Amino acid sequence: MSGMLRRLVALLGLVLLVAGCSGGPSLENRGEVTAPPGDSKHLVIGSAGFTESDLLANMYVLLLKNAGYGTEILSVANRELYEPALESGQIDVVPEYAATFADWLNAKTNGADAAPVGSPDLDATVKALRDLARPRGLVVLDPGKAVDQNAFAVSASYAKQHRLKTLSDLGASGLKVRLAAGDECVQRPYCEPGLKKVYGIDITGVDPKGVGTTQSKQAVQNGQDQMVLTTSTDATLSDFGLVLLDDDKHLQNADYIVPVVNRSRAGSERVAEALGALNSVLTTDDLASLNQQVDSWRRLPEDVARSYLESKGLLK
């Protein structure tokens, strides 16, 4: 069977899995998972289909191959599909974001109106995530240094003119700020309400051009808006002459990158050790640079991933 056909069959299986699970008993009602952790010889690594996820999945593939596992990548650009597949063992490992995944599992377990469990506190967020993942047969490995969270950028000239390095600096400046972001920003606590409450920033309006879009960045570049909501690993800020302001009061949730594995297939110490090798080297700045190599320089994710791991001495 060709690689393309295998992926089509796998994706069809994921769709059937989700449809089949919709009327069945929830995993929370099946009791704690007590089987010993597995150590399958061949592991499927899931990617969510965007640049950063592809890069992380390729690094996981190379690290696990280096540890003696057979590996392949399955790209499924929808958490509603890949998370059930991770529970079932159709996917064995995925790169995730601690706070986002904790809140997603919390909503799945306790309903869409459940109070969020993700927070700026990494330890509390990871504990909540592990408590939610465990009954589903999932293991959350240790987070590393890299974090991909919401972030705010201004033009470099604006930052220099007003001596801005942090969001606190912007709040203290008293400057009026029009913010380019998604339209949900007016209600989300990490966005307009949080910027006003935590930092005292005078937000005069939200320009609904989207999160980190080209249009949003251009609006700040040309002075139509003063600040843009993007992410901490945005690879294209310098292309627009923009710089991030430090979230010095920790308004944003702890979206550190964590590998999540299916316990019965990839819950071994050997898998944890192989993937944990990234923890001491991969930083947020590294990840932004790797994203840039793919998005701006048009290099292949697998080539960028290999070059990075080799430069850090993580491949034999």
Side-chain angles (χ1 to χ4, degrees):
M1 184 183 295
S2 70
M4 179 64 73
L5 183 56
R6 279 201 306 272
R7 280 170 170 72
L8 290 173
V9 171
L11 285 171
L12 177 60
L14 298 191
V15 174
L16 293 174
L17 171 68
V18 172
C21 285
S22 60
S26 68
L27 285 175
E28 295 80 43
N29 296 324
R30 297 178 191 173
E32 284 289 322
V33 177
T34 57
D39 192 25
S40 301
K41 294 181 179 179
H42 186 87
L43 299 174
V44 177
I45 291 81
S47 167
F50 57 93
T51 296
E52 188 167 286
S53 189
D54 285 344
L55 280 165
L56 290 165
N58 274 282
M59 284 192 271
Y60 289 5
V61 160
L62 292 166
L63 290 169
L64 289 167
K65 277 185 178 178
N66 198 56
Y69 293 93
T71 57
E72 64 177 300
I73 290 179
L74 179 62
S75 185
V76 185
N78 188 315
R79 190 176 275 118
E80 285 76 9
L81 289 176
Y82 75 66
E83 189 279 330
L86 184 62
E87 290 186 27
S88 73
Q90 288 178 290
I91 292 175
D92 304 308
V93 184
V94 294
E96 264 293 356
Y97 301 90
T100 296
F101 197 44
D103 284 337
W104 195 87
L105 285 182
N106 187 44
K108 183 176 180 179
T109 302
N110 299 311
D113 295 331
V117 294
S119 76
D121 186 324
L122 177 60
D123 291 340
T125 296
V126 171
K127 181 183 184 304
L129 174 55
R130 284 174 170 158
D131 288 345
L132 288 159
R134 191 177 303 112
R136 297 180 176 277
L138 306 179
V139 176
V140 179
L141 302 184
D142 291 339
K145 301 174 183 177
V147 56
D148 187 353
Q149 59 194 172
N150 295 306
F152 296 91
V154 298
S155 71
S157 58
Y158 183 84
K160 182 178 180 180
Q161 178 185 356
H162 299 290
R163 299 182 180 181
L164 306 177
K165 293 185 177 180
T166 68
L167 290 171
S168 288
D169 292 341
L170 182 56
S173 73
L175 292 164
K176 296 185 180 300
V177 175
R178 181 172 164 88
L179 175 64
D183 54 10
E184 72 279 2
C185 177
V186 296
Q187 296 178 328
R188 296 288 174 87
Y190 66 80
C191 204
E192 181 182 357
L195 291 172
K196 289 180 174 179
K197 180 179 179 180
V198 175
Y199 288 107
I201 297 173
D202 187 1
I203 305 292
T204 61
V206 172
D207 187 1
K209 285 185 164 61
V211 179
T213 62
T214 296
Q215 293 81 4
S216 288
K217 293 172 191 172
Q218 287 174 337
V220 176
Q221 183 183 38
N222 65 30
Q224 178 184 345
D225 299 329
Q226 287 71 52
M227 187 162 68
V228 59
L229 170 61
T230 184
T231 64
S232 57
T233 60
D234 190 323
T236 64
L237 290 177
S238 61
D239 297 342
F240 297 88
L242 307 182
V243 293
L244 291 178
L245 295 181
D246 184 41
D247 178 22
D248 53 310
K249 292 184 179 178
H250 306 293
L251 172 63
Q252 303 304 321
N253 282 345
D255 257 331
Y256 285 76
I257 291 161
V258 290
V260 183
V261 305
N262 178 289
R263 185 178 186 273
S264 66
R265 289 186 49 82
S268 70
E269 284 297 323
R270 195 157 67 107
V271 168
E273 183 178 349
L275 297 179
L278 269 183
N279 289 359
S280 61
V281 297
L282 184 65
T283 66
T284 303
D285 287 344
D286 287 346
L287 199 49
S289 174
L290 299 178
N291 285 336
Q292 183 181 38
Q293 290 178 50
V294 175
D295 290 337
S296 298
W297 303 358
R298 303 304 179 192
R299 294 186 63 196
L300 294 174
E302 52 265 40
D303 293 339
V304 175
R306 180 178 294 279
S307 294
Y308 178 76
L309 295 179
E310 287 177 346
S311 74
K312 298 298 181 180
L314 296 182
L315 297 182
K316 295 177 184 176

